[in-house]
Amino acid sequence: MNTLNIIIKELKQLVRDKKSNAIMILLPIVLIFILSKAFSGNFGQTLKLGDVSVLYTMNAEESLEQSFEMFMETINKELGIQFVEASKKKEGLKAVKDVKYACYIMIEENEIEIYKNERYNFSANLVESMVRSFAKRYDALNEIAKSNPQAIEAILSDETMNFTEIKSLDGKRSPSSLDYYAVTMLTLFLLYSSLTGYSSIKSEQYLRTQYRIFASPVKKHEYLTGKIIGDLSISLLQAMCVFIFGKYLLNANWGSDIPTVLLVVLAECIMTVSLGACTAVLFQKGETGIAVINIAIPVMAFLGGGYVPLSQTGDAINKLSVISPLKWTNEAIFKVIYNNDYSSVPIAIGISIGIAAIAIMLTAIKTGKEKSI
Amino acid sequence: MSIVRIENVTKKYGNIVAVNDLSLSIEEGEIFGLLGPNGAGKSTLINMITSLITIDEGNIYIKDANTKSNANLTKSFTGIVPQDIAIYEDLTCLENVKFFAGLYGLRGKELKSKAMEALEFTGLADKAKDFPKGFSGGMKRRLNIACAIAHNPEIIIMDEPTVGIDPQSRNHILQSVKELNRRGCTVIYTSHYMEEVEELCSRIAIIDYGKVIALGTKQELKSIVKHKNEVWVTVKNNIDKIVQEELKEIPGVTDVEIYENTVMVYSMHESENLESIIAYFTSKGLGILQIESKVPDLETVFLTLTGRKLRD
Ligand SMILES: Nc1ncnc2c1ncn2[C@@H]1O[C@H](COP(=O)(O)OP(=O)(O)O)[C@@H](O)[C@H]1O
Ligand SMILES: [Mg+2]
């Protein structure tokens, strides 16, 4: 009950803070607009599929080799992707490292392995997802071949259909600058929700109202839960405004699985609000806490591809980017939208929730300590 | 019956002993005053009564419940008016009071009517829907009180509730403290203004360096200095011409103290030596700015006990 009481109070205050709401809603929208116009040349064209070429080595057993040849032919015909055979694995790996090819596919006996550069390499991801669906189909064929060899003919003739399906998704396979910034500005501004968490705790200290709250029979966990849920709600509302604007007014591509994408966004928001609250209790002096947040956000945002796609930055930054939770969030969202690839979703959510849990624990330990009263 | 019992309580901050082995009993239905200069340890003591800080040594009981082991219960008996104004400027007066009263379990219609009552009581009913942003210091202080009393606590603790306000608001607050007490509230009132404590409190503890240095009704406390007559002479300049020994030779004079350009001359009761004292100052050719004959008050008590003034 006390928690609810605190949530309601928090929401009243946050909704009334018109200035913050305006900044958190309008600024990302304006930036989506400006950045997508300014950088429209850097997106789209560079990812024309006709330019994409893939390196491979073939040492497979005969049936796989035959099927894969057929697969490559189809892809080449339908999408214009070039397949180039390399002589050795070493050569393939080096080419991928030098970003000469979108990816390198190694076909050995009855296994297929794909090597790609660790970047937002949309064309590589596209090839990967097609190879995956090929492999699935091939496995199924093998099973059937064992039990009912006659059925193979029918299914093989069906095979091309499978890849044209993928092709039909292709129109949206690489993000335009609008698609890109609609996502990254939303996730970037969610980082600023840490300021909401921060000031909601700090202001209770400054106003001395925290003194009053702790003199009443409210439990610490009720207080913190109320605060965090209140801040979370308002931050999500702000993010939803940005989302709706981008998706429905600007027609940015948010993919077909909105719930999963929003789940990743929710996890990020829980993390930033908790981190903000944690910063507030860790730094007694207000200016220090604010400075920490204001330095951390741009760094994390840059490393997370918030301003410039990571595929356009150097190798060193790409290596460093793993420390930015935003990188994982953005990567997971883009993979879901453009490749139907969910592999990064649990990583992104896990990182966000893990950091949030640590932050909340620290906040709980530090809250109500005598110095803060 | 003692409603609050403080037993041998000590609180240290590093080398500072903020509260030093202090014991007190506060009786149900009284207005109990904690009088002491800034830094005496009044707020520290109150923070321990309300379980806001831990007690290093000793125990505090509210209605026989230990504040250490039963904090949520003992907190529910009290309402606190903090020394610093603690209100939200972006919530209306009514929302402020409702929020804080809600933390003590009041809900719905009852919450609203109790909150309105508290606003009426503090003279802010017509401001219920206003935001306290533009309020004067006095109005904020009154709202600060309203937020502490809406849940009808049995014990109201006020930590310097009149600091920095106009005389009219101060008077309003003093009257409301009396009224709360008439309605059955036990009040613990801290201040470094001896006039307030003298006007309000049935019993007073004078606190200095974390210790109770005197305790009793105001008559009892003043009897400590009953034998004293006190004349304060303020001079224009040349205060160094005054020789304390010479003044002490005047019949009846027991003690002389000099504080800035004021000379405080203490005499036996009914000495009738005022003329001789004035004569001394004129003989030295010192320009007298002001002469005050002091009736003994709590300030005198404090001065006598500690050799210092309550307010410096
Ligand atoms: N959180 C704290 N840390 C260090 N010293 C403190 C703290 N709180 C109070 N003190 C010290 O304890 C003493 C008593 O302070 P306080 O209880 O605020 O006095 P009062 O309320 O009577 O003015 C002072 O010397 C003050 O400096
Ligand atoms: Mg104090």
Side-chain angles (χ1 to χ4, degrees):
Chain A
M1 253 345 232
N2 277 329
T3 309
L4 190 65
N5 196 4
I6 290 168
I7 295 175
I8 292 170
K9 185 223 76 170
E10 200 71 10
L11 283 179
K12 268 188 202 158
Q13 291 181 295
L14 289 168
V15 167
R16 282 172 194 173
D17 186 357
K18 299 211 176 63
K19 209 170 96 193
S20 297
N21 285 319
I23 290 175
M24 291 294 280
I25 294 169
L26 294 181
L27 202 54
I29 289 175
V30 168
L31 282 173
I32 291 171
F33 218 76
I34 295 174
L35 291 175
S36 64
K37 287 268 176 288
F39 293 112
S40 60
N42 299 27
F43 291 80
Q45 291 104 312
T46 52
L47 289 167
K48 222 189 274 163
L49 287 175
D51 299 342
V52 174
S53 42
V54 174
L55 209 57
Y56 72 98
T57 50
M58 177 68 76
N59 292 305
E61 53 189 38
E62 210 186 304
S63 67
L64 176 57
E65 182 171 343
Q66 264 178 13
S67 305
F68 200 81
E69 298 276 350
M70 224 169 107
F71 163 76
M72 290 191 290
E73 214 172 282
T74 315
I75 299 291
N76 183 257
K77 211 164 61 205
E78 300 282 340
L79 304 177
I81 294 177
Q82 306 287 322
F83 286 86
V84 180
E85 184 156 13
S87 53
K88 281 196 301 268
K89 181 181 178 184
K90 226 178 179 175
E91 185 194 341
L93 292 179
K94 187 169 180 316
V96 168
K97 205 172 157 225
D98 300 343
V99 214
K100 285 202 189 111
Y101 291 86
C103 59
Y104 161 61
I105 306 172
M106 186 174 76
I107 306 124
E108 292 279 344
E109 292 175 11
N110 60 353
E111 290 196 354
I112 305 173
E113 281 179 46
I114 300 181
Y115 298 88
K116 43 180 192 165
N117 202 299
E118 259 313 304
R119 292 196 177 185
Y120 287 143
N121 198 333
F122 291 104
S123 38
N125 288 341
L126 168 64
V127 173
E128 183 186 359
S129 68
M130 286 188 294
V131 171
R132 269 182 206 287
S133 83
F134 162 79
K136 249 188 233 152
R137 171 65 48 140
Y138 179 77
D139 284 345
L141 278 176
N142 259 356
E143 287 300 309
I144 296 166
K146 276 181 212 151
S147 54
N148 185 7
Q150 279 80 9
I152 290 251
E153 285 294 318
I155 294 169
L156 270 178
S157 60
D158 191 37
E159 193 164 340
T160 39
M161 265 216 37
N162 192 30
F163 303 121
T164 12
E165 256 170 49
I166 292 172
K167 191 207 159 202
S168 70
L169 290 169
D170 166 61
K172 280 288 178 188
R173 277 286 156 181
S174 71
S176 69
S177 57
L178 170 66
D179 298 333
Y180 187 80
Y181 286 114
V183 172
T184 56
M185 282 303 117
L186 185 139
T187 55
L188 165 65
F189 270 78
L190 272 183
L191 294 184
Y192 285 95
S193 296
S194 53
L195 285 173
T196 309
Y198 176 88
S199 46
S200 110
I201 297 282
K202 237 355 173 213
S203 70
E204 301 274 2
Q205 293 176 1
Y206 281 142
L207 291 172
R208 311 287 295 152
T209 40
Q210 182 175 280
Y211 179 99
R212 256 216 159 97
I213 291 170
F214 289 156
S216 79
V218 167
K219 296 187 188 76
K220 189 162 80 180
H221 68 85
E222 295 173 328
Y223 168 71
L224 288 178
T225 314
K227 285 253 140 195
I228 288 176
I229 293 181
D231 300 346
L232 191 61
S233 314
I234 207 79
S235 301
L236 285 174
L237 270 175
Q238 292 163 346
M240 280 312 100
C241 292
V242 178
F243 169 74
I244 287 166
F245 185 87
K247 179 165 169 56
Y248 296 104
L249 281 130
L250 297 178
N251 278 324
N253 180 23
W254 276 92
S256 50
D257 188 356
I258 302 291
T260 303
V261 167
L262 292 187
L263 204 64
V264 176
V265 166
L266 171 69
E268 186 202 349
C269 194
I270 294 174
M271 171 185 72
T272 55
V273 167
S274 315
L275 274 178
C278 185
T279 314
V281 295
L282 284 186
F283 298 97
Q284 276 304 307
K285 269 176 82 191
E287 311 89 80
T288 323
I290 288 278
V292 167
I293 290 178
N294 278 332
I295 291 168
I297 289 181
V299 173
M300 291 300 135
F302 181 70
L303 290 180
Y307 307 113
V308 186
L310 286 174
S311 59
Q312 294 173 17
T313 55
D315 249 1
I317 287 172
N318 279 312
K319 286 221 178 71
L320 204 58
S321 73
V322 296
I323 65 161
S324 170
L326 190 64
K327 172 216 149 85
W328 300 102
T329 296
N330 283 343
E331 188 173 299
I333 293 175
F334 281 124
K335 276 187 173 170
V336 170
I337 297 179
Y338 293 97
N339 302 308
N340 230 11
D341 173 357
Y342 288 79
S343 58
S344 292
V345 170
I347 303 174
I349 293 181
I351 288 175
S352 295
I353 297 296
I355 293 176
I358 295 169
I360 289 173
M361 237 155 57
L362 276 175
T363 313
I365 292 170
K366 280 278 187 177
T367 298
K369 281 275 154 50
E370 309 201 344
K371 279 195 201 111
S372 65
I373 307 249
Chain B
M1 189 196 112
S2 295
I3 194 161
V4 178
R5 272 192 346 245
I6 301 163
E7 293 181 352
N8 306 96
V9 165
T10 296
K11 178 76 189 180
K12 290 182 188 144
Y13 289 110
N15 289 330
I16 301 168
V17 187
V19 171
N20 190 354
D21 193 25
L22 186 148
S23 298
L24 272 179
S25 277
I26 290 149
E27 304 304 316
E28 195 168 347
E30 70 177 338
I31 303 183
F32 188 90
L34 290 171
L35 179 68
N38 276 328
K42 306 182 295 293
S43 296
T44 306
L45 181 60
I46 279 174
N47 292 343
M48 287 191 283
I49 296 175
T50 49
S51 302
L52 279 160
I53 59 175
T54 54
I55 301 171
D56 288 349
E57 282 166 47
N59 285 295
I60 298 178
Y61 299 89
I62 303 181
K63 295 181 63 165
D64 290 325
N66 192 317
T67 57
K68 282 179 189 167
S69 50
N70 248 327
N72 272 332
L73 181 65
T74 56
K75 281 175 177 180
S76 70
F77 296 141
T78 59
I80 179 146
V81 181
Q83 177 171 346
D84 308 291
I85 294 170
I87 52 175
Y88 300 105
E89 306 223 315
D90 48 3
L91 295 184
T92 66
C93 290
L94 184 61
E95 285 168 341
N96 264 291
V97 179
K98 274 172 70 179
F99 172 66
F100 289 115
L103 299 180
Y104 291 83
L106 291 182
R107 295 283 175 264
K109 277 211 173 76
E110 192 192 12
L111 175 61
K112 171 128 199 243
S113 71
K114 288 268 167 78
M116 272 317 292
E117 245 173 66
L119 286 175
E120 263 156 41
F121 186 79
T122 47
L124 291 170
D126 54 330
K127 301 267 189 271
K129 294 231 154 63
D130 292 358
F131 292 91
K133 212 162 207 153
F135 280 13
S136 68
M139 279 157 79
K140 284 184 185 171
R141 285 271 169 206
R142 269 143 64 190
L143 181 58
N144 202 33
I145 294 175
C147 290
I149 61 173
H151 62 287
N152 290 10
E154 292 172 61
I155 304 164
I156 291 179
I157 302 174
M158 299 183 147
D159 195 356
E160 316 231 12
T162 59
V163 168
I165 60 172
D166 56 289
Q168 200 187 338
S169 278
R170 168 186 295 229
N171 207 36
H172 190 282
I173 288 174
L174 296 188
Q175 293 318 311
S176 37
V177 173
K178 285 183 192 164
E179 178 56 28
L180 279 171
N181 181 246
R182 241 193 309 281
R183 294 181 185 185
C185 254
T186 305
V187 180
I188 302 176
Y189 191 97
T190 89
S191 182
H192 64 273
Y193 296 118
M194 60 93 197
E195 309 89 343
E196 287 180 2
V197 173
E198 223 179 306
E199 179 181 341
L200 283 177
C201 301
S202 40
R203 281 196 316 139
I204 298 154
I206 298 182
I207 298 191
D208 196 30
Y209 292 118
K211 274 187 167 303
V212 176
I213 55 171
L215 173 69
T217 64
K218 63 185 170 214
Q219 286 77 19
E220 283 167 347
L221 291 180
K222 282 183 191 170
S223 71
I224 299 173
V225 291
K226 200 161 63 193
H227 60 286
K228 289 206 169 173
N229 253 0
E230 201 180 323
V231 178
W232 290 19
V233 184
T234 309
V235 297
K236 232 185 264 165
N237 44 33
N238 293 336
I239 196 138
D240 41 304
K241 276 195 188 167
I242 292 160
V243 184
Q244 296 198 13
E245 302 313 314
E246 289 175 7
L247 267 168
K248 280 187 187 162
E249 279 168 20
I250 297 171
V253 172
T254 57
D255 201 6
V256 176
E257 277 179 44
I258 297 174
Y259 187 83
E260 285 172 3
N261 62 338
T262 302
V263 184
M264 290 164 268
V265 185
Y266 300 97
S267 308
M268 302 294 288
H269 202 46
E270 294 171 355
S271 304
E272 295 184 352
N273 54 4
L274 186 60
E275 259 173 54
S276 324
I277 293 170
I278 294 170
Y280 174 80
F281 282 92
T282 39
S283 73
K284 289 275 176 185
L286 298 167
I288 296 177
L289 285 179
Q290 193 183 9
I291 297 179
E292 278 178 274
S293 179
K294 288 275 181 182
V295 186
D297 58 18
L298 293 177
E299 183 81 47
T300 325
V301 177
F302 188 78
L303 194 67
T304 308
L305 292 172
T306 67
R308 286 176 291 118
K309 285 184 151 189
L310 265 173
R311 269 168 286 159
D312 294 320

